[in-house]
């Protein structure tokens, strides 16, 4: 009798559910087109709005749900990153600032990569039942895996986005890079366009001593600088002439290629984290206005 009453109560909902699915698909398609067009036409504002959403939205949920562990880590990351951004946007730019910026965001990038991989392995460990051998509850090991995976992916996305902003500011301040046109300074052969320091220094002369890397366009940079520019700062063009950089040629170590794939995963994930909740909220609003349950 209860089962029959349930059928009577929900009679006709099949058509309603089909309508809701169509609304969801249509909203996703329209939102994707709008976001792609926005990104192509106004790339800077798109990145800025996305970054602000990713920074603020998790804060709202952590305060609402009392996730103090995430809130403390979020606060520590925000304080240090704010100081790094402050240093990167100062004029005149200190000669040590570019390396400090890339070291910080490279550390965040590598830590997020390691934590994300460990979280994924913990989830696989639980799904295949290996937790039983160590007498660990499935819920506990799965929770640890999901939390670690989220931490790794979230801070990986945040770090790359902030690093891109800092890269633009620093390179524009130094003057050898201009995103929209010709650089304001002419690059000589013994200067690194990323940090503005001499590539080769004389004996007893103050400067950076490290390996160099030459791009296919012929321009030479400190190896650490150009790797930070391309991998951490998400720039795939020469910092001076804007010619396309072949990342595969730069990655001699097979393990380094996984970092490039990880970076591509983070770029895709930022759309999912930043815009998916808003799109779902719009869908719920449409369903509510149409009286769909």
């Amino acid at each position: 009798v209860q089962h029959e009453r349930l059928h009577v109560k929900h009679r006709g909902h099949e058509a309603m559910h089909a309508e809701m699915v169509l609304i969801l698909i249509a909203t996703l398609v329209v939102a994707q087109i709008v976001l792609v067009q926005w990104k192509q036409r106004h790339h800077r504002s798109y990145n800025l709005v996305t970054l602000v959403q990713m920074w603020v939205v998790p804060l709202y949920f952590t305060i609402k749900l009392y996730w103090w562990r995430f809130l403390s880590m979020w606060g520590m990351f925000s304080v240090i990153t704010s100081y790094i951004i402050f240093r990167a946007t100062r004029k005149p730019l200190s000669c040590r600032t570019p390396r400090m910026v890339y070291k910080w965001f490279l550390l965040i990038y590598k830590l997020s990569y390691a934590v994300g991989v460990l979280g994924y392995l913990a989830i696989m460990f639980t799904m295949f039942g290996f937790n039983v051998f160590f007498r660990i509850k499935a819920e506990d090991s799965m929770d640890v895996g999901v939390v670690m995976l989220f931490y790794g992916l979230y801070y990986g996305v945040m770090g790359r986005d902030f690093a891109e902003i800092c890269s633009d500011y620093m390179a524009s301040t130094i003057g050898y890079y201009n995103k929209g046109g010709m650089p304001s300074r002419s690059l000589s052969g013994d200067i690194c366009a990323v940090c503005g320091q001499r590539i080769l220094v004389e004996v007893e002369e103050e400067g950076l001593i490290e390996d160099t890397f030459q791009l296919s366009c012929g321009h030479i940079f400190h190896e650490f600088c150009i790797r930070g520019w391309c991998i951490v700062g998400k720039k795939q063009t020469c910092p001076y002439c804007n010619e396309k950089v072949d990342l595969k040629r730069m990655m001699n170590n097979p393990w380094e290629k996984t970092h490039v794939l990880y970076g591509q995963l983070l770029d895709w994930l930022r759309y999912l984290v930043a815009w998916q909740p808003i799109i779902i909220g719009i869908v719920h609003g449409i369903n509510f206005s149409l009286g769909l349950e």
Side-chain angles (χ1 to χ4, degrees), residues 40-209:
Q40 290 177 350
R41 296 173 185 270
H42 305 283
H43 183 73
R44 193 164 187 171
S45 64
Y46 170 84
N47 281 343
L48 184 60
V49 173
T50 305
L51 181 58
V52 169
Q53 284 184 209
M54 291 197 61
W55 202 8
V56 174
V57 171
L59 177 63
Y60 166 76
F61 285 107
T62 52
I63 295 175
K64 184 178 180 180
L65 300 173
Y66 305 106
W67 292 344
W68 304 119
R69 180 176 52 193
F70 178 85
L71 186 61
S72 60
M73 292 193 64
W74 183 92
M76 183 172 61
F77 171 83
S78 299
V79 169
I80 299 176
T81 302
S82 297
Y83 172 73
I84 295 293
I85 294 173
F86 173 79
R87 290 288 302 272
T89 53
R90 294 304 92 193
K91 293 182 181 181
L93 189 70
S94 171
C95 63
R96 299 182 181 275
T97 298
R99 302 184 67 77
M100 179 189 70
V101 170
Y102 286 126
K103 280 182 178 180
W104 166 248
F105 287 117
L106 184 62
L107 173 65
I108 293 296
Y109 186 75
K110 289 184 175 180
L111 283 176
S112 70
Y113 180 77
V115 172
V117 168
L118 287 175
Y120 175 77
L121 292 176
I123 293 173
M124 292 296 103
F125 176 86
T126 306
M127 292 182 66
F128 285 107
F130 292 123
N131 57 294
V132 176
F133 297 105
F134 297 92
R135 296 182 179 180
I136 302 174
K137 293 181 179 180
E139 296 83 359
D140 295 340
S141 58
M142 183 63 77
D143 285 347
V144 170
V146 170
V147 168
M148 291 182 70
L149 184 62
F150 171 76
Y151 274 44
L153 295 176
Y154 175 75
Y155 288 108
V157 172
M158 294 286 288
R160 276 173 64 82
D161 283 359
F162 280 121
E164 184 179 21
I165 293 173
C166 291
S167 297
D168 279 337
Y169 268 106
M170 291 189 301
S172 299
T173 302
I174 292 171
Y176 296 116
Y177 171 77
N178 188 340
K179 190 173 182 179
M182 293 295 293
S184 58
R185 297 173 64 184
S186 177
L187 181 68
S188 58
D190 63 339
I191 297 294
C192 173
V194 177
C195 66
Q197 301 299 302
R198 293 183 61 181
I199 293 175
L200 301 175
V201 295
E202 303 294 337
V203 179
E204 299 181 356
E205 185 179 9
E206 184 178 355
L208 302 171
I209 302 175

Side-chain angles (χ1 to χ4, degrees), residues 113 248 250-261:
Y113 180 77
K248 293 181 180 179
M250 187 181 295
M251 305 298 169
N252 297 322
N253 187 343
W255 289 104
E256 290 180 335
K257 295 180 179 179
T258 60
H259 288 286
V260 178
L261 296 175

Side-chain angles (χ1 to χ4, degrees), residues 204-258:
E204 299 181 356
E205 185 179 9
E206 184 178 355
L208 302 171
I209 302 175
E210 64 172 277
D211 295 335
T212 59
F213 188 87
Q214 184 175 21
L215 299 179
S216 57
C217 58
H219 294 121
I220 303 175
F221 307 91
H222 294 123
E223 186 175 11
F224 182 85
C225 292
I226 195 62
R227 285 176 179 271
W229 173 267
C230 292
I231 300 173
V232 182
K234 297 197 294 184
K235 307 293 185 184
Q236 296 188 16
T237 57
C238 172
Y240 182 68
C241 66
N242 286 330
E243 183 174 318
K244 185 78 173 177
V245 173
D246 185 5
L247 290 178
K248 293 181 180 179
R249 181 171 167 266
M250 187 181 295
M251 305 298 169
N252 297 322
N253 187 343
W255 289 104
E256 290 180 335
K257 295 180 179 179
T258 60

